[in-house]
Amino acid sequence: MNYIAATKQLMAALACLVIVSSCSTTRKSASKVDGPPPSLSKPAPAKKPEETKTVAKAPFNVPAFAKEVKKSSYNIAFFAPLYLDSVFATSTEIPGRTMPRYVLPGLEFYEGAQIAFDSLKQLGYNLKVTVYDSKGKQSVSNLVRSKALDNTDLIIGAVTNPEMKELSDYAKNREVNFVSATFPNDAGVTDNPFLFLSNSTLKTHLEALQDYVQNAFANKNIVLLRRNTAFESKLAADFKSSYDKMQSSKKSRIRELVWSDATTPEEISAILLTDRTNVLVVTALDEAGAKSLLRKLGTVAATYPIQVFGMPTWDVFKLKDPEFKGLQVYYSTPYFNEKTDAYSRYVNDVFRRTYKARPSDMAYKGFENTFYFVKLLYNNGVYFNAKVADAQKVISNYDFQPVYVKDGDEIPSYFENKNIYIIQKGDSSDVKMNR
C-alpha cells in the first residue's frame, strides 16, 4: 500500500473540505465502489424539498422534535482526527516515509465512512458531505465563527475533547443532531438532547456488569476490587449506585476490597469463598494495573472458583502468559463484531479491494455510524430522535436511550447507546456471553 501517495491525495482533498458525494479520496481508490448487499432497499423519496410538519406533542419534551423536517438533499459535517497539519508541518513528504501510527485510527474511520457514503449514494441518497480534520489548524470554534457549519443537518464525528464539547454546544444551539461515534465519555454534557453517544460511558458499562453478574450466577460472592484513587472510587460509587437502583430478588450484596501493589494473595483470599463462585469486578482501566492484580488472582485460582470481570479497555489485553492460565476473564464492550453478517462481509470486501488492506474496527465503526444515522436522517428527517428506537440494525445492536443526568429532568441530557456485550477472553478469539 502506498501510504505516502494516499495521504497526499487525502490532504489535497481535505484542504478544500472534501465533498464526499462528488469525489472519493484517501488511499489509492478503485474506480467504482460496488453497492451494498442487494437485500438493502432504496430510501423512500422525500415528499417535498423542504417539508415541515408539526405533531401535537413534542417527543421527549423537546419542541424541535415535534417538527418533521424532510429535505430532498441533506448536508452532513463529518469530523475525523487526521492530523494532516502535524504530519505535513514542514514538508509534503511523510517523515521517514512511514505513515505515523497516530493518524491511522482517524484515517480508517474516515475510510469506513467513505464506503457508507458511496453505498448510500448508489442507493439514491442525495447527500452533501463535508469532511473536517478535527485535529487540524481550523478549530471547531473557528468553523462556528465563520458560519461554515450553519447549513448542516447532521454532524458525525470521531472526536475527543475539546472538540466533543464544542460540537455538542454548537449542536444544541443550532438544534441539529450530533453523533459522537467513538468517545466513551459525555464530556461533561448534561443538557443536550441533540447529542448521541455511540460509545457508551463507563457508568453504563458498570450498570451492565451489575445486571449481568447479579443475574448470571445463582449462588455468588460479588467482590468489587478497586485502588485508592479518586477515579476508581468514582467507578466504585457508580457500581454500588447501580446495585441500589436494581430491582431484583436475586441480587446479592457487594463486598469491596481496596488493593494496591503491596496487597498479597493472602489478603485477597480473606474475602473469597470456596463453596460458591467468586465474581470479582475490577475497576482498573490500565493494562499494567489490571495484570498486576490478575497475577495475584492467578495464585489463588486453584483454591477458589473465580470469575473476573474487567473494564472495556481490557478488550486489547493479551493474557496468554502461563501466569494467567486458568483464569476466566471477561470485559464489557458496546461494540463486538464477529464479522459474519452481510454488512461486515461487504465492508471487508470493498475495503480490501479499494484500499488494499484489511479493515480495522475503526473502519467498521466509521461505516456503521454513518450508514445507521444517515438512514435515520433520510427516512425520518432532521429530527429523527423519536424514531431511533425503530432503526434497523447495521452491525451492532444499538440501543439508544434518553439519559437524564439530573433527578427530575424532563428533557434528556443526551441519548446513549445502552447495549453492552459481556465478552469472555479466549486463547484464540473472544466469545460473546449475552445477546
Side-chain angles (χ1 to χ4, degrees):
M1 184 190 310
N2 190 338
Y3 284 102
I4 299 174
T7 307
K8 284 183 178 178
Q9 286 183 327
L10 181 60
M11 179 187 67
L14 291 175
C16 61
L17 300 179
V18 179
I19 303 299
V20 181
S21 59
S22 62
C23 65
S24 175
T25 60
T26 53
R27 305 175 188 171
K28 185 178 180 181
S29 177
S31 59
K32 179 179 181 296
V33 176
D34 290 342
S39 60
L40 300 182
S41 59
K42 293 181 180 293
K47 297 178 181 178
K48 291 181 181 178
E50 291 277 353
E51 179 168 344
T52 301
K53 292 182 178 179
T54 303
V55 299
K57 186 179 186 308
F60 304 106
N61 298 304
V62 180
F65 296 170
K67 303 174 185 176
E68 184 183 88
V69 181
K70 291 189 173 181
K71 302 181 179 181
S72 59
S73 177
Y74 291 95
N75 297 311
I76 299 172
F78 183 87
F79 287 81
L82 300 168
Y83 295 95
L84 296 177
D85 292 326
S86 299
V87 174
F88 298 101
T90 58
S91 171
T92 57
E93 295 295 326
I94 297 176
R97 303 186 66 81
T98 301
M99 180 78 77
R101 293 184 64 86
Y102 63 84
V103 173
L104 296 180
L107 176 61
E108 290 170 348
F109 181 81
Y110 165 73
E111 289 169 336
Q114 175 77 68
I115 295 174
F117 284 129
D118 286 343
S119 301
L120 290 165
K121 181 183 177 183
Q122 291 181 39
L123 284 173
Y125 287 63
N126 190 0
L127 308 171
K128 296 179 181 178
V129 184
T130 306
V131 178
Y132 298 96
D133 182 357
S134 63
K135 295 300 181 181
K137 291 180 180 178
Q138 191 172 28
S139 66
V140 171
S141 57
N142 286 338
L143 291 173
V144 172
R145 281 194 296 270
S146 67
K147 302 186 182 300
L149 302 176
D150 278 7
N151 293 321
T152 300
D153 298 307
L154 174 66
I155 303 170
I156 300 174
V159 296
T160 57
N161 273 336
E163 296 83 20
M164 162 73 174
K165 183 64 167 61
E166 292 171 340
L167 285 172
S168 175
D169 290 344
Y170 175 82
K172 178 185 175 183
N173 292 334
R174 298 290 298 187
E175 296 190 338
V176 57
N177 282 314
F178 163 42
V179 179
S180 175
T182 58
F183 194 43
N185 195 304
D186 61 18
V189 175
T190 60
D191 58 352
N192 185 3
F194 299 90
L195 171 64
F196 284 84
L197 303 180
S198 295
N199 198 359
S200 313
T201 63
L202 284 173
K203 183 176 181 179
T204 292
H205 283 272
L206 291 164
E207 290 171 350
L209 283 176
Q210 181 76 252
D211 182 73
Y212 185 83
V213 301
Q214 291 287 359
N215 289 293
F217 304 94
N219 194 20
K220 67 271 188 183
N221 174 38
I222 302 177
V223 181
L224 179 67
L225 295 105
R226 68 170 178 87
R227 287 173 292 191
N228 190 24
T229 66
F231 180 73
E232 291 197 27
S233 296
K234 175 63 168 61
L235 296 183
D238 286 340
F239 187 72
K240 288 182 281 189
S241 175
S242 66
Y243 170 86
D244 294 337
K245 295 176 182 177
M246 187 178 186
Q247 301 295 321
S248 173
S249 59
K250 295 182 179 180
K251 72 177 186 179
S252 300
R253 70 186 183 94
I254 308 297
R255 305 173 74 187
E256 186 175 359
L257 174 67
V258 179
W259 67 278
S260 68
D261 289 340
T263 301
T264 65
E266 290 73 24
E267 289 174 314
I268 296 175
S269 298
I271 61 169
L272 303 180
L273 301 176
T274 57
D275 63 343
R276 66 195 66 189
T277 302
N278 295 279
V279 180
L280 310 183
V281 179
V282 181
T283 56
L285 269 68
D286 61 300
E287 185 168 2
K291 285 186 173 180
S292 173
L293 179 59
L294 288 174
R295 290 187 185 95
K296 300 175 192 293
L297 296 175
T299 64
V300 300
T303 305
Y304 301 92
I306 292 174
Q307 300 214 23
V308 185
F309 290 80
M311 297 292 100
T313 52
W314 291 29
D315 64 338
V316 297
F317 293 1
K318 304 298 182 184
L319 302 177
K320 295 183 179 181
D321 295 342
E323 55 197 332
F324 303 125
K325 188 174 180 60
L327 283 176
Q328 295 186 61
V329 178
Y330 306 80
Y331 63 90
S332 58
T333 178
Y335 177 85
F336 186 72
N337 187 0
E338 295 173 299
K339 300 180 175 64
T340 57
D341 62 280
Y343 284 102
S344 294
R345 294 196 303 270
Y346 167 69
V347 172
N348 179 66
D349 179 56
V350 175
F351 199 96
R352 285 176 180 272
R353 286 188 287 107
T354 305
Y355 303 119
K356 313 303 180 187
R358 182 176 62 183
S360 66
D361 277 346
M362 284 297 287
Y364 285 108
K365 290 176 183 179
F367 175 88
E368 179 175 40
N369 277 273
T370 300
F371 207 94
Y372 182 91
F373 280 100
V374 173
K375 282 192 69 177
L376 268 171
L377 173 70
Y378 217 88
N379 292 336
N380 302 287
V382 174
Y383 303 112
F384 53 73
N385 305 62
K387 302 293 185 180
V388 71
D390 303 324
Q392 292 183 344
K393 174 183 175 181
V394 178
I395 295 174
S396 299
N397 287 318
Y398 283 148
D399 179 22
F400 284 98
Q401 297 291 333
V403 173
Y404 301 88
V405 172
K406 301 172 185 175
D407 291 339
D409 279 356
E410 295 183 354
I411 296 177
S413 296
Y414 46 80
F415 289 83
E416 180 183 358
N417 175 26
K418 291 290 187 175
N419 184 74
I420 299 294
Y421 297 102
I422 306 300
I423 309 298
Q424 181 175 13
K425 295 194 73 68
D427 292 335
S428 57
S429 62
D430 294 351
V431 180
K432 182 173 63 177
M433 304 302 295
N434 63 336
R435 288 191 286 274

